[in-house]
């Protein structure tokens, strides 16, 4: 249990970093109520920052311990304290606090999640990938830093996906470091990420009717496929919530064109890219899609901003790729194979079972509580009936399909037995389910915001 | 039913809920545009599923915690090894899975190694072909950390698993399960 308490303390580093960034970006003012309302978004943004910075620090030879996160958190907090000003939100006349009902909903979710966090010390690390890959990487990073010969070029550890980015092992390593190696501590982060996601979506959509936002968020939190991931300590859950919240921020940026909102979205997508290889694919697809929308809708400055954000996210991938090339580290998915038509043609037989498996994973109502089907319906409704917002619906659809395509491509080109991947489709597609939840919360609530403002509604109210 | 058919059935169900909301609000005398009514249908379906799912999730969490709390510290630390134990049993590596005080020999061996090998040691792990097929190496590599598994040329310790020791002065845990200093 002491390990869990220590890991909880580590989560505060992400929160402090993120609050500093939100204050500096003018998203929340330095007032207790507003800081509390933005805590979930702050946690996600803070961890994205820590993972990107610590990955870079590890590549240049710094130790993977609590020093870098503490320095980053302190610097950001001091910066926020010095700058501390009224946020842009309030200058626009919008409160950055939650309504009482939303606060109550968040408190209820918080109680459920806190209970899970406090009892996570009882849970064993039993998922194969967790003990075979992620915890060993975390232990080695914690003990010896990023030393290529220990694990990344060591042929004995060829099964640990040596080319995967360092974000998830760093997340585990920092918790293990605080907990003195108590491995049960790593169960805290998935619940904290889930709590942060709930809070972040309610915060970002706080101007919409709560009853229209909450159902999708609740469904995501309690969906069996998500619940399972909270106990496996694998990378999919943090990846899913970072991608989904990042894409929601991009959509809100398309509405408001505030550079700070785009910056936060890009930061979350960079965090996702640091967690897993497929995170880079989803992040770049999202930014390119947002760039296309801004290209069509203008103005020119928005196009430039989208381009800068995409380049910045891509740039965060460079240090790890350079380190890999320098040390001749290879992965099981070889990029050249994936671009070789001959290789893809030879492996074409893998596509149909993967597609069937994907559809089965998305269609099982007992696993994801019909979120993908609900998102599909709302996307079609938006495209047909809310023309000025259809680009937002298509952005969600594009990233969902794009992420699934990246996973499909990686498995298509792989030479591992196909049977290894098929049972894992639900896990690989967790970001699609998270995007579906965000799409439903955003698009569903848009219909009701539009309804409240519509002439029909106004006429009805007048007749009464 | 195929996955696509299930997905179509879900979409039809959601649209049906939207239609029901549309008719209901009309009966109540409230004017709501059709798309908004269908959107409300989607949200009603998800709200019902979410509330039902909340009960299931709470029950599942309670069960996971109960199951976890009933484990001893050793069982909790080695729960992930069940997969390897069942593979070893299936492949007939009987001396590895024979229990010692209720815990398979090979897991006891791993824990014994943890108390005898120094932190940071470079260890060569030699397994029998069957143990290799059962992926026992993955668990050993995990459980021995922060000792690093390496090839022969870089090893200062050697461990054998379900096979005869490669050096004469090896310390034996059980026949076939040994460790020795290489240099």
């Amino acid at each position: 249990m002491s390990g869990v308490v220590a890991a909880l303390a580590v989560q505060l580093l992400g929160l402090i970093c993120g609050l500093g960034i939100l204050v500096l970006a003018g998203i929340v003012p330095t007032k207790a109520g507003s800081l509390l309302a933005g805590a979930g978004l702050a946690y996600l943004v803070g961890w994205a920052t820590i993972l990107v910075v610590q990955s870079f620090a590890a590549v240049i030879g710094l130790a993977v311990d609590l020093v870098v996160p503490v320095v980053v958190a302190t610097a950001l907090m001091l910066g926020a304290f010095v700058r501390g000003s009224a946020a842009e939100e309030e200058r626009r006349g919008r409160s950055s606090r939650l309504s009482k009902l939303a606060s109550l909903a968040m408190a209820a979710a918080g109680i459920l999640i806190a209970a899970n966090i406090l009892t996570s010390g009882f849970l064993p690390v039993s998922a194969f990938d967790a003990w075979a890959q992620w915890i060993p990487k975390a232990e080695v990073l914690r003990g010896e830093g990023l030393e290529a010969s220990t694990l990344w070029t060591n042929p004995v550890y060829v099964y640990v996906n040596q080319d995967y980015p360092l974000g998830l092992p760093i997340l585990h390593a920092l918790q293990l470091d605080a907990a003195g190696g108590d491995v049960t501590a790593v169960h805290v982060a998935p619940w904290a990420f889930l709590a942060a996601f709930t809070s972040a979506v309610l915060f970002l959509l706080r101007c919409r009717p709560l009853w229209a936002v909450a159902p999708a968020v609740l469904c995501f939190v309690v969906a069996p496929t998500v619940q399972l991931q909270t106990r496996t300590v694998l990378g999919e859950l943090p990846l899913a919530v970072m991608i989904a919240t990042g894409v929601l921020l991009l959509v809100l940026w398309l509405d408001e064109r505030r550079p700070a909102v785009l910056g936060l979205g890009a930061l979350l997508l960079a965090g996702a890219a640091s967690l897993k290889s497929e995170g880079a694919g989803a992040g770049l697809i999202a930014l390119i899609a947002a760039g296309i929308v801004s290209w069509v809708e203008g103005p020119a400055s928005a196009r430039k901003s989208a381009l800068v954000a995409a380049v910045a996210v891509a740039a965060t991938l460079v240090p790890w790729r350079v380190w890999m090339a320098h040390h001749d580290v290879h992965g099981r998915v070889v990029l050249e194979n994936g671009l070789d038509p001959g290789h893809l043609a030879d492996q074409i037989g893998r596509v149909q079972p993967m597609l069937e498996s994907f559809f089965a994973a998305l269609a099982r109502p007992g696993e994801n509580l019909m979120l993908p089907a609900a998102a599909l319906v709302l996307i079609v409704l938006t495209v047909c009936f809310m023309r000025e917002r259809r680009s937002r619906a298509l952005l969600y659809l594009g990233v969902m399909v794009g992420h699934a395509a990246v996973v499909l491509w990686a498995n298509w080109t792989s030479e591992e037995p196909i049977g290894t991947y098929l049972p894992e489709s639900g896990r690989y597609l967790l970001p699609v389910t998270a995007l579906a939840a965000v799409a439903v919360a955003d698009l569903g609530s848009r219909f009701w915001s539009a309804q409240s403002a519509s002439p029909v509604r106004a006429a009805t109210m007048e007749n009464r | 039913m195929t996955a696509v058919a299930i997905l179509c059935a879900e979409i039809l169900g959601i649209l049906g809920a939207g239609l029901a909301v549309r008719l209901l609000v009309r009966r109540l005398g409230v004017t709501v545009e059709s798309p908004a009514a269908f959107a409300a249908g989607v949200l009603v379906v998800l709200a019902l599923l979410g509330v039902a799912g909340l009960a299931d999730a709470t029950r599942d969490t309670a069960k996971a915690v109960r199951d976890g709390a009933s484990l001893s510290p050793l069982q909790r630390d080695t729960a992930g090894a069940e997969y390897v134990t069942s593979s070893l049993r299936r492949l007939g590596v009987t001396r590895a899975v024979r229990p010692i005080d209720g815990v398979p020999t090979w897991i006891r061996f791993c824990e014994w190694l943890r108390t005898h090998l120094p932190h940071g040691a470079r260890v060569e792990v030699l397994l029998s072909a069957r143990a290799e097929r059962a992926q026992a190496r993955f668990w050993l590599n995990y459980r021995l950390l922060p000792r690093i598994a390496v090839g022969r040329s870089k090893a200062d310790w050697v461990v054998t698993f379900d096979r005869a020791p490669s050096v004469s002065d090896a310390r034996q845990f059980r026949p076939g399960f040994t460790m020795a200093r290489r240099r």
Side-chain angles (χ1 to χ4, degrees), chain A residues 116 144 154 157 159 219 363, chain B residues 10 31 46 61 76 122 141 149:
Chain A
N116 275 287
E144 310 205 16
N154 184 344
Y157 291 95
Y159 58 90
C219 271
Chain B
E10 287 175 14
T31 308
L46 289 186
T61 299
R76 189 171 304 130
R122 271 26 185 183
N141 287 354

Side-chain angles (χ1 to χ4, degrees), chain A residues 58 100 104 121 162 207 240 244 251 281 307 347 390 421 456:
Chain A
K100 282 187 180 146
L104 204 65
Q162 291 160 317
C207 298
V251 168
L307 183 67
Q347 306 240 101
R390 67 180 167 191
Y421 296 113
V456 178

Side-chain angles (χ1 to χ4, degrees), chain B residues 72 74-75 78 82 85 89 96-108 174:
Chain B
S72 69
L74 177 63
Q75 285 172 324
T78 59
E82 278 172 20
T85 302
R89 191 172 289 124
V97 295
R98 193 172 297 135
I100 301 173
D101 296 334
V103 178
T105 297
W106 80 277
I107 291 178
R108 290 273 182 209
R174 289 287 187 277

Side-chain angles (χ1 to χ4, degrees), chain A residues 30-188:
Chain A
T30 44
K31 291 178 187 164
S34 304
L35 293 173
L36 199 61
L41 180 62
Y43 175 88
L44 295 179
V45 168
W47 271 108
T49 308
I50 289 175
L51 297 182
V52 169
V53 172
Q54 181 70 75
S55 296
F56 177 68
V59 164
I60 61 170
L62 297 181
V64 178
D65 54 23
L66 293 170
V67 173
V68 170
V70 166
V71 169
V72 173
T74 308
L76 285 168
M77 209 57 209
L78 281 175
F81 185 73
V82 170
R83 185 179 183 270
S85 61
E88 176 74 18
E89 299 284 329
E90 298 205 333
R91 280 200 290 276
R92 287 173 177 228
R94 269 189 338 202
S95 172
S96 53
R97 292 173 181 228
L98 294 176
S99 67
K100 282 187 180 146
L101 199 58
S103 305
L104 204 65
M106 205 184 282
I111 289 168
L112 173 76
I113 287 164
N116 275 287
I117 286 177
L118 290 174
T119 51
S120 58
F122 295 115
L123 299 177
V125 175
S126 51
F128 181 86
D129 280 0
W131 61 256
Q133 294 187 38
W134 302 116
I135 304 291
K137 277 187 177 176
E139 285 279 15
V140 171
L141 278 177
R142 189 166 82 90
E144 310 205 16
L146 185 60
E147 171 59 50
S149 64
T150 52
L151 205 144
W152 286 269
T153 55
N154 184 344
V156 177
Y157 291 95
V158 73
Y159 58 90
V160 301
N161 283 323
Q162 291 160 317
D163 63 325
Y164 262 45
L166 299 174
L168 187 61
I170 285 174
L171 175 64
H172 289 333
L174 296 176
Q175 293 177 94
L176 287 170
D177 204 39
D182 177 358
V183 82
T184 58
V186 297
H187 287 289
V188 171

